[in-house]
Amino acid sequence: MSKVRRATHAGSWYTNDGRELSSQLDEWLSKAQPSYSPARAIIAPHAGYVYCGACGGHAYRQIDPSNIKRIFILGPSHHVRLSGCALTETSHYQTPLYDLTIDQKRRELSSQLDEWLSKAQPSYSPARAIIAPHAGYVYCGACGGHAYRQIDPSNIKRIFILGPSHHVRLSGCALTETSHYQTPLYDLTIDQKINEELFATKAFEKMKMSTDEDEHSIEMHLPYIAKVMERRRGQFTIIPVLVGSLSADKEKLYGSIFSQYLADPENFFVISSDFCHWGQRFRYTFYDKSCGDIWQSIEALDKMGMDAIEQMDPAKFSHYLKEYENTICGRYPIGVLLSAIDALRRNGNGRRMSFKFMNYAQSSRCKKMSDSSVSYASGALLMQ
């Protein structure tokens, strides 16, 4: 239901006649020059137009509306005491010309993320890496909150995001060629220096833009990253990595490459993965009837894999996948993380590492062979 803020100062601070107001604004704008255009921000007065309308025209004349989609308006509070900032709860602001629409999507997403994070406990914090799902938030947003709640953003400068490739065949890993990733909250900056270092190893391909934009396994983590890193906005970068279908040797290769970055406490790793995709539409219907209902069999199956991950044993996880063929879509990014941990262990650096899953969920509880579901799990890596 729409909720409109009335133009309560129209008729006193400025005219409430739309035609007269439009004419006044046109006149003030015409007398100004676009000498500092296209502006990205302006400072302009807010007194009655009879006093400051002409002055304001010089600021607004610098605006080129061609590519502007959103306008943030920051104004001081004159009538109530605030120790922070406040947002409107209305859907529209009324003017004598036409109503202006409030951007609700940004607030809605931010509110959703806040709610999911508030319901999780930082029981395994500060994490150095997480495994979290990448399905639609209606299915896995709450589960993902348990992983992202383990992040302490204080010292993080770089975030590596390893996501599986769903749409193109890759035998290795690929890096983005973009400079920024867009989110509804704010844009995230790609770390070009780290990309150059990774390209220098000759082990990474370049992602086509179409591949980059089609892939959801990385994008679904961006709003959560933007939210948990909000107070360090502009002080961190991201390194998105698209992971292909890797052989055991290549998992070790990439694990070795990323281990040096994992060792640095200023780096953080996000491993993107859903767990079992069960049902005829996924061509996977493993069912151990001794577990009970189908959904219970799926949970037992997933938790065997989660146990291998918690043991941080790449060989055990690989053996599990070969034996049960569980449809864990992020098995290769997980394999890279486990190989990176293994490389650090073999280097004998004295670090104590442990991994723990703190949440598990399913999109639905399957009871019939015609049902289907996808599983989600959130876990975190500690390094001391």
Side-chain angles (χ1 to χ4, degrees), residues 216-241:
H216 67 280
S217 71
I218 294 172
E219 181 178 342
M220 296 308 296
H221 289 277
L222 304 181
Y224 253 126
I225 290 170
K227 168 53 70 174
V228 298
M229 297 296 293
E230 207 160 23
R231 63 186 171 89
R232 300 208 60 235
R233 178 176 177 175
Q235 300 174 54
F236 72 98
T237 55
I238 62 170
I239 303 93
V241 182

Side-chain angles (χ1 to χ4, degrees), residues 110-322:
S110 184
S111 176
Q112 283 178 337
L113 297 172
D114 279 333
E115 181 181 356
W116 291 324
L117 289 166
S118 70
K119 291 180 178 178
Q121 297 299 318
S123 56
Y124 220 64
S125 179
R128 293 286 297 280
I130 59 171
I131 293 175
H134 56 238
Y137 281 3
V138 68
Y139 300 108
C140 74
C143 179
H146 290 271
Y148 279 94
R149 188 70 171 87
Q150 312 313 314
I151 296 177
D152 177 357
S154 305
N155 298 313
I156 297 173
K157 293 185 177 180
R158 292 166 291 274
I159 299 178
F160 292 75
I161 312 161
L162 276 63
S165 177
H166 286 83
H167 305 292
V168 297
R169 289 189 179 276
L170 288 174
S171 59
C173 294
L175 305 175
T176 185
E177 291 192 281
T178 63
S179 61
H180 294 79
Y181 269 18
Q182 188 181 68
T183 85
L185 303 182
Y186 58 90
D187 291 355
L188 304 178
T189 303
I190 307 299
D191 195 313
Q192 303 297 339
K193 180 177 180 293
I194 299 295
N195 271 7
E196 288 174 9
E197 290 177 5
L198 295 175
F199 279 132
T201 67
K202 307 298 183 183
F204 293 84
E205 302 178 30
K206 294 180 179 179
M207 261 192 276
K208 292 180 180 178
M209 180 62 81
S210 58
T211 299
D212 208 339
E213 293 186 339
D214 285 345
E215 184 54 62
H216 67 280
S217 71
I218 294 172
E219 181 178 342
M220 296 308 296
H221 289 277
L222 304 181
Y224 253 126
I225 290 170
K227 168 53 70 174
V228 298
M229 297 296 293
E230 207 160 23
R231 63 186 171 89
R232 300 208 60 235
R233 178 176 177 175
Q235 300 174 54
F236 72 98
T237 55
I238 62 170
I239 303 93
V241 182
L242 190 62
V243 181
S245 301
L246 306 181
S247 65
D249 287 342
K250 283 200 172 180
E251 282 186 3
K252 289 180 182 178
L253 168 66
Y254 289 108
S256 177
I257 291 171
F258 285 120
S259 66
Q260 61 182 310
Y261 296 102
L262 182 60
D264 185 342
E266 293 184 340
N267 294 331
F268 189 86
F269 277 75
V270 173
I271 307 301
S272 177
S273 183
D274 296 335
F275 275 70
C276 184
H277 296 61
W278 195 94
Q280 294 174 14
R281 68 190 181 103
F282 299 117
R283 299 177 184 175
Y284 187 76
T285 54
F286 173 87
Y287 180 21
D288 181 353
K289 293 183 179 180
S290 68
C291 295
D293 286 336
I294 295 171
W295 69 267
Q296 293 171 309
S297 170
I298 295 169
E299 181 172 349
L301 174 69
D302 279 332
K303 290 194 172 178
M304 280 192 283
M306 292 160 66
D307 180 62
I309 295 168
E310 286 188 334
Q311 292 180 41
M312 298 178 291
D313 188 336
K316 184 174 181 179
F317 184 61
S318 179
H319 178 74
Y320 159 80
L321 291 172
K322 288 177 182 176

Side-chain angles (χ1 to χ4, degrees), residues 15 49 51 80 94 134 165 222 248 250 312 358:
T15 179
Y49 280 7
Y51 301 110
V80 296
Q94 186 184 68
H134 56 238
S165 177
L222 304 181
K250 283 200 172 180
M312 298 178 291
M358 60 282 304

